Amino acid sequence: LVEAGWLFRDGDKVALGAKSLTLGGATPQRDAINQANEIVRIISGITMMSCFATQLYGEQQAIMAAAQGTGMPVIAADGSQYPTYVTVSGLCLLAALPPAEADAIIGAADLSTFVPGAVSGADELKLDVAHARAGSIVVDRGRADPAYGCVARVWDIEGLSTPMSLSILGPLVRMD
């Protein structure tokens, strides 16, 4: 259940995982997901690009809401989890962590997941986290796939234990 995202293990403790939190009644989490679903649909409809909201779970990010843009890859809003350092949405989430903790996650990052030469090193990713901490939009210009770019920003929602981030993914030529 942990590997499937239904439960989350933090040391000796076990909590509901991202997929479990997409179910059920009126909670701050459910309200945030409902709000995120509405917002990502609106943004995607206006931009014709994919839009998604992610949330921090340990060192992973989970996709909690998504809307697919025209001709864009499918992004499932099923609580699937991915390393935070791989996307700018994840780097925005790392901005919520104490700097030393975020730096440790980035320091252990497998930079081979990026397009060769697209990331100069961990310092570049740490700079993105610093921009997110300052409230800036963080931009990916083809790091993971040279055909696509992504812009993201931290979205701090009252009542949630960890923030979400909102991201727009589209063809790199439309990111300017």
Side-chain angles (χ1 to χ4, degrees):
L1 291 176
V2 171
E3 286 182 22
W6 291 102
L7 296 175
F8 171 73
R9 184 176 300 281
D10 185 12
D12 294 336
K13 299 177 185 175
V14 176
L16 293 177
K19 286 187 180 181
S20 298
L21 295 174
T22 63
L23 306 172
T27 65
Q29 179 71 25
R30 172 65 18 214
D31 292 345
I33 291 170
N34 289 339
Q35 184 179 5
N37 275 311
E38 185 176 337
I39 289 171
V40 299
R41 282 191 202 106
I42 291 169
I43 293 171
S44 182
I46 292 169
T47 64
M48 305 298 284
M49 293 191 239
S50 294
C51 184
F52 53 100
T54 60
Q55 191 167 18
L56 186 65
Y57 285 91
E59 295 183 7
Q60 300 284 312
Q61 62 180 318
I63 298 175
M64 305 308 288
Q68 184 178 351
T70 304
M72 296 297 300
V74 174
I75 300 170
D78 61 358
S80 296
Q81 296 183 17
Y82 304 92
T84 49
Y85 63 84
V86 173
T87 66
V88 289
S89 60
L91 292 172
C92 285
L93 296 174
L94 287 179
L97 297 177
E101 192 174 336
D103 287 353
I105 292 169
I106 291 170
D110 177 7
L111 299 182
S112 70
T113 59
F114 297 107
V115 172
V119 176
S120 61
D123 287 343
E124 182 179 336
L125 301 179
K126 289 176 185 177
L127 185 59
D128 283 345
V129 172
H131 286 280
R133 273 196 189 99
S136 298
I137 291 174
V138 183
V139 181
D140 170 357
R141 296 193 181 281
R143 286 179 180 162
D145 184 325
Y148 296 101
C150 188
V151 295
R153 188 169 193 289
V154 173
W155 183 27
D156 198 6
I157 300 174
E158 190 174 327
L160 292 183
S161 57
T162 61
M164 293 179 114
S165 66
L166 282 174
S167 305
I168 302 171
L169 173 71
L172 191 55
V173 297
R174 291 190 58 206
M175 287 289 119
D176 291 327

